[in-house]
Amino acid sequence: MSIIAGSYERFIWGFKLKPTKHDADNQTLTLSPLFSYPSHISPITTVACSGPAAASGGSDDTIHLYDLPSASSLGSLLDHNHAASITALSFYTPSSLSFPRNLISAAADGSVAIFDTDPFVLLKSFRPHKKAVNDLAIHPSGKLALAVYRDEFFAMLNLVRGKRSFCCRLGHEASLVKFDPSGERFFMVVSNKVGVHQSEDAKLLLELENPSRKRILCASPGESGTLFTGGEDRAITAWDTNSGKLAYSIEDAHPARIKGIVVLTRNDSDGSLEDPYLIGSASSDGIIRVWDVRMAAKENTKPLAETNTKSRLTCLAGSALKSMRRPQIGKQQAQKVDEGHENSE
């Protein structure tokens, strides 16, 4: 189980979650460092992780790739035709696989790039909209994606054809968009509110409002309609998106605003809860924590693991998938990377 985080200081941080104590009444975990170094030449804006592969994007217009099992860098991808900050990254991993099939990136100039991951090669780059992408979400089918833009637009993208299939103005700027695991619904965050929409026609089913009225900065869908959010109120909030009610909340989960949240494990298919239901969170003061959210109902909930990077964290990603395959960059893409390095010297 791995976690990666990016920082304003250009550092990428990688950790492996290891058990240190496990008995009938208590479990503790340790975030063991994998790597930490300035992989970008400007702040890291987004990270993604699936199985053994991880990626980071920055305001230096590049995407860097990492092999988590070997704790090594694979180099960078020169992807977008229009040089611009990378604003969103997302792996597509079919439910039957433990290795991602595609990496999708979005940038501040509105461009979107689709990569194959075995090896990493650029398949297609297109520009469905001319303004900056705030966030992008891939449908579980891998055939389409949703994007929200800085200029208050919302778009549906056909990833098979590499074209925009729908676009409209929302009337307000959405900062985040996420599909639920089934793909039947999606969640769109605007300031301190979450809209729950039907995927088929984007119909608004219900709206959730943060009780603190403070901005939501990150979100991660869980199982059975649960959505976890974090933000300026420093709390981790779990929403029941089926009923529209707040399920529970970990107040003061961090001493500073929460910039990243990720669901690390899910219940077994038979409903077994032998393994804890884990989520990771990161705050702007550099602290990363891992929680068993089943303990959230208890007072003074304490994290199972914690580490302090002492940096200004901007984003967080994680993966519980295990795979024997190792990520690698394709020869053609590697040549482009080498040419890019030569041109920059």
Side-chain angles (χ1 to χ4, degrees), residues 1-5 15-18 27 29-31 48-51 68 219-223 228 236 260-268 275-282 288-293 303-306 316-322:
M1 196 175 301
S2 303
I3 289 178
I4 64 166
F15 298 93
K16 187 175 182 62
L17 193 62
K18 295 181 177 180
Q27 173 170 327
L29 302 170
T30 298
L31 285 166
C49 185
S50 181
L68 295 176
S220 183
E223 296 292 341
F228 297 95
I236 294 174
I261 191 166
V262 59
V263 175
L264 295 171
T265 60
R266 293 183 170 86
N267 296 344
D268 297 334
D275 293 327
Y277 194 86
L278 302 179
I279 62 169
S281 57
I288 299 173
R289 288 174 171 166
V290 177
W291 310 82
D292 179 349
V293 295
L304 296 180
E306 177 178 326
L316 183 75
S319 175
L321 292 176
K322 295 180 180 179

Side-chain angles (χ1 to χ4, degrees), residues 50-209:
S50 181
S56 62
S59 52
D60 57 0
D61 311 345
T62 63
I63 298 170
H64 285 256
L65 300 173
Y66 313 91
D67 177 9
L68 295 176
S70 65
S72 62
S73 169
L74 297 175
S76 62
L77 296 173
L78 302 179
D79 60 328
H80 291 270
N81 292 329
H82 309 279
S85 298
I86 307 301
T87 57
L89 290 171
S90 184
F91 281 107
Y92 167 59
T93 307
S95 58
S96 59
L97 300 180
S98 59
F99 191 89
R101 178 174 292 171
N102 298 104
L103 173 66
I104 315 295
S105 66
D109 65 352
S111 59
V112 173
I114 305 172
F115 297 91
D116 194 348
T117 60
D118 190 22
F120 278 91
V121 291
L122 178 64
L123 297 177
K124 189 174 186 64
S125 181
F126 62 109
R127 198 178 181 191
H129 194 63
K130 294 183 179 181
K131 299 299 181 181
V133 180
N134 283 339
D135 197 20
L136 179 142
I138 305 174
H139 188 269
S141 68
K143 296 180 179 180
L144 62 90
L146 301 178
V148 290
Y149 294 85
R150 194 75 48 83
D151 62 350
E152 303 183 354
F153 271 78
F154 164 83
M156 179 180 291
L157 312 178
N158 184 324
L159 298 180
V160 177
R161 300 178 63 186
K163 296 179 66 175
R164 187 182 77 186
S165 56
F166 173 78
C167 187
C168 70
R169 183 183 289 276
L170 296 171
H172 41 250
E173 182 183 351
S175 57
L176 300 169
V177 63
K178 309 291 179 186
F179 275 107
D180 76 353
S182 71
E184 296 178 359
R185 298 182 302 168
F186 67 89
F187 313 115
M188 194 153 49
V189 174
V190 177
S191 186
N192 66 328
K193 298 179 180 180
V194 180
V196 181
H197 297 259
Q198 193 168 278
S199 296
E200 185 177 4
D201 54 9
K203 177 184 177 182
L204 179 65
L205 300 175
L206 52 91
E207 190 173 67
L208 314 170
E209 183 173 2

